[in-house]
Amino acid sequence: MSDKNAKLIYPAAELEIGLKVKKAVIGPSAVDISTLYRDTGLLTYDPGFLSTASCHSSITYIDGDQGVLLYRGYPIEQLAEKSSFLEVSYLLLYGELPNTAQLADFSGIIGHHTMINEALKTFFDGFHYDAHPMAIMVGVVGSLSAFYHDSLDIQNPRHREISAHRMIAKMPTIAAACFKHNVGEPIVYPQNNLSYCGNFLKMMFATPCEEYQPDPIAEKALNLLFILHADHEQNASTSTVRLAGSSGANPFACIASGIASLWGPAHGGANEAVLSMLEEIGDVSQIEKYVARAKDKDDPFRLMGFGHRVYKHYDPRARIIRAVSHEVLEKFADSNNPMFELALRLEEIALQDEYFVERKLYPNVDFYSGIIYQALKIPRNMFTVMFAIARTSGWVAHWMEMIADPAQRIGRPRQIYDGAPLRDYVPLDKR
Ligand code: ACO
């Protein structure tokens, strides 16, 4: 799907060159500049990839101006209302919704892989009890590559598929074990007759001394949050997984690199940062002061949970979470906890403020997810871990898509060098 119908004219170098435009099924077309350097000696410059498509992908589509998010063509609103996280994971991996038998089979396979090797448990002991769970997660998930390396041939589609299943299955077990390590409780084994989310809740909150039944409302809320976070096309962490994987690296190590990227406060770490910010604001009377700080260019403070690289409209995921948060908060929230009211008021004030309106800064998915996680008694430092569990299905889908793509090459950006020009070494005693 390409025509040579764009032209680059650069009079200073007497250059005029035709370029192909690759058409998307929906969304913006892309000028194909892949041979530009070879043909002209020129590079393109796009820090932060604001105008750069790094690959073809048929997994997720976002229209940031209209607030649209589709997984394999299906609107997020329909998936959030009607499907389960494992159904969505299947959809992301295989491209189609599963039928009843396929879903049962897939759930069974994921269940089969939920346990972690007993030897892996000793890795947790190497971390201090108060280590951040994302730090533990990066280390432990990366170390999975040591368990599945020599037996793994990433050029074999079946091997890739098994790796993807393992990753989706083991992530909740590892995440819950991170929490148990933090609180000094024994790791709880998975129980595979529970749903994916119910199993995670049990591994988080059960102890060997008491019966535990996951609460259906908590399970439903988690299922929804996991669906909403499952994929988001070429975001920072997914691009990191793809870049790491483009060299042929072990997929578990690639997912660990995605977890590291997700941790940052500008990405998945924002849900944790939102709660810290709301706590810092403390009271509705303080909102104006913090909004003024967010607008002050000399102040590094930003309203966490506001703004998005792609959405210049209300994040559709935020709209869905906002709508269901009342049910969860009514059932679980501490009635003395003013966070939700504070968040709603902050949202109202910011959405009317010229600064936020002009820049199209709307609440993103993380503005609300932390409040729900808090109501479910999930500690704040686990919020980004929750995001990582859900996003794993997107990461592995992208990794599989990339490795199977015949056009795939090692990712290797170029640069505009602006360091020192050629100079001679000066001996130590002459400096
Ligand atoms: N508070 C105050 N001002 C903001 C905010 C914010 N949260 N976000 C953006 N702006 C301002 C910027 O200062 C800039 O203003 P200027 O044009 O006057 O210089 C303008 O809006 C554009 O912002 P950029 O930083 O250029 O936008 P970019 O696309 O690079 O960044 C990002 C997007 C990182 C999400 C940013 O909006 C942000 O830091 N938000 C807060 C963190 C957050 O919530 N991250 C979660 C993202 S969603 C996710 O990962 C799941």
Side-chain angles (χ1 to χ4, degrees):
M1 281 196 290
S2 62
D3 320 296
K4 216 163 191 171
N5 52 8
K7 198 179 270 183
L8 177 72
I9 303 171
Y10 182 29
E14 292 182 1
L15 184 87
E16 187 169 323
I17 182 170
L19 293 166
K20 288 178 188 168
V21 174
K22 287 182 174 261
K23 297 239 159 61
V25 172
I26 30 172
S29 304
V31 179
D32 181 352
I33 48 109
S34 55
T35 57
L36 188 71
Y37 179 66
R38 189 195 68 194
D39 296 344
T40 68
L42 283 172
L43 297 172
T44 56
Y45 176 61
D46 183 19
F49 306 110
L50 282 121
S51 302
T52 297
S54 60
C55 60
H56 280 272
S57 181
S58 52
I59 300 173
T60 291
Y61 173 74
I62 302 171
D63 181 335
D65 295 323
Q66 300 300 320
V68 170
L69 171 60
L70 311 177
Y71 291 166
R72 300 282 191 186
Y74 294 102
I76 191 66
E77 291 80 5
Q78 292 180 23
L79 294 168
E81 190 191 335
K82 296 174 181 158
S83 71
S84 70
F85 176 68
L86 280 189
E87 214 178 323
V88 166
S89 300
Y90 184 101
L91 173 69
L92 292 172
L93 280 183
Y94 298 106
E96 296 298 335
L97 284 168
N99 61 29
T100 310
Q102 286 166 330
L103 182 59
D105 197 34
F106 185 63
S107 305
I109 291 168
I110 296 299
H112 174 74
H113 289 293
T114 48
M115 283 212 296
I116 50 176
N117 189 302
E118 285 295 293
L120 193 72
K121 282 168 46 182
T122 58
F123 280 65
F124 290 88
D125 297 332
F127 289 92
H128 204 254
Y129 77 94
D130 60 356
H132 195 290
M134 282 298 277
I136 307 180
M137 194 97 176
V138 172
V140 172
V141 172
S143 72
L144 278 178
S145 52
F147 292 83
Y148 309 103
H149 187 67
D150 294 337
S151 59
L152 175 63
D153 169 11
I154 62 162
Q155 297 312 327
N156 181 327
R158 178 67 189 133
H159 285 205
R160 293 201 290 272
E161 189 181 25
I162 296 170
S163 300
H165 293 161
R166 280 193 173 123
M167 220 102 63
I168 292 171
K170 291 183 198 308
M171 210 54 95
T173 315
I174 293 171
C178 292
F179 170 68
K180 291 297 193 191
H181 181 74
N182 279 168
V183 293
E185 290 178 6
I187 287 175
V188 175
Y189 285 98
Q191 187 185 317
N192 294 332
N193 60 350
L194 293 173
S195 71
Y196 189 83
C197 295
N199 204 358
F200 173 72
L201 286 167
K202 177 159 190 274
M203 290 188 285
M204 278 287 288
F205 298 118
T207 63
C209 357
E210 280 170 25
E211 283 293 316
Y212 180 88
Q213 263 311 318
D215 184 285
I217 294 182
E219 216 173 321
K220 191 174 133 201
L222 214 52
N223 183 60
L224 174 75
L225 285 164
F226 282 2
I227 290 172
L228 298 182
H229 281 101
D231 194 43
H232 216 225
E233 52 118 307
Q234 312 307 323
N235 56 84
S237 56
T238 303
S239 299
T240 303
V241 171
R242 278 184 177 261
L243 191 58
S246 74
S247 69
N250 181 292
F252 297 93
C254 297
I255 298 300
S257 70
I259 296 171
S261 167
L262 185 74
W263 194 3
H267 191 10
N271 52 14
E272 191 180 334
V274 168
L275 256 278
S276 304
M277 176 191 74
L278 290 175
E279 224 164 66
E280 191 186 326
I281 296 175
D283 188 78
V284 174
S285 64
Q286 297 298 306
I287 291 178
E288 301 276 4
K289 187 176 104 190
Y290 280 89
V291 170
R293 280 189 61 192
K295 293 173 354 185
D296 180 356
K297 294 291 166 205
D298 297 326
D299 188 330
F301 177 79
R302 281 190 166 197
L303 279 194
M304 299 314 288
F306 272 78
H308 196 277
R309 168 59 61 80
V310 182
Y311 292 120
K312 302 302 170 198
H313 195 280
Y314 216 100
D315 178 341
R317 303 166 300 171
R319 204 188 291 282
I320 297 166
I321 301 192
R322 190 181 194 274
V324 298
S325 50
H326 287 278
E327 187 187 7
V328 179
L329 292 163
E330 257 168 44
K331 168 99 197 241
F332 297 106
D334 173 357
S335 53
N336 297 320
N337 188 336
M339 290 302 160
F340 192 55
E341 197 204 324
L342 195 58
L344 288 181
R345 189 74 189 113
L346 177 62
E347 182 195 18
E348 196 181 311
I349 291 173
L351 287 179
Q352 286 165 8
D353 193 290
E354 206 179 312
Y355 173 96
F356 288 86
V357 175
E358 249 176 30
R359 290 168 179 75
K360 299 186 174 160
L361 298 170
Y362 292 89
N364 59 51
V365 65
D366 284 329
F367 189 65
Y368 297 103
S369 61
I371 297 168
I372 298 188
Y373 286 139
Q374 190 188 49
L376 297 178
K377 308 280 182 284
I378 290 165
R380 193 179 311 171
N381 62 4
M382 283 290 290
F383 291 176
T384 314
V385 170
M386 307 298 289
F387 193 157
I389 299 173
R391 185 54 58 87
T392 295
S393 58
W395 288 331
V396 293
H398 281 272
W399 175 77
M400 284 176 60
E401 182 179 69
M402 179 194 66
I403 301 286
D405 181 355
Q408 188 265 325
R409 306 175 72 177
I410 186 167
R412 189 5 178 134
R414 301 297 297 264
Q415 63 170 11
I416 302 172
Y417 177 70
D418 49 13
L422 179 69
R423 52 183 168 167
D424 286 324
Y425 177 81
V426 180
L428 200 54
D429 60 346
K430 299 268 175 353
R431 277 177 240 157

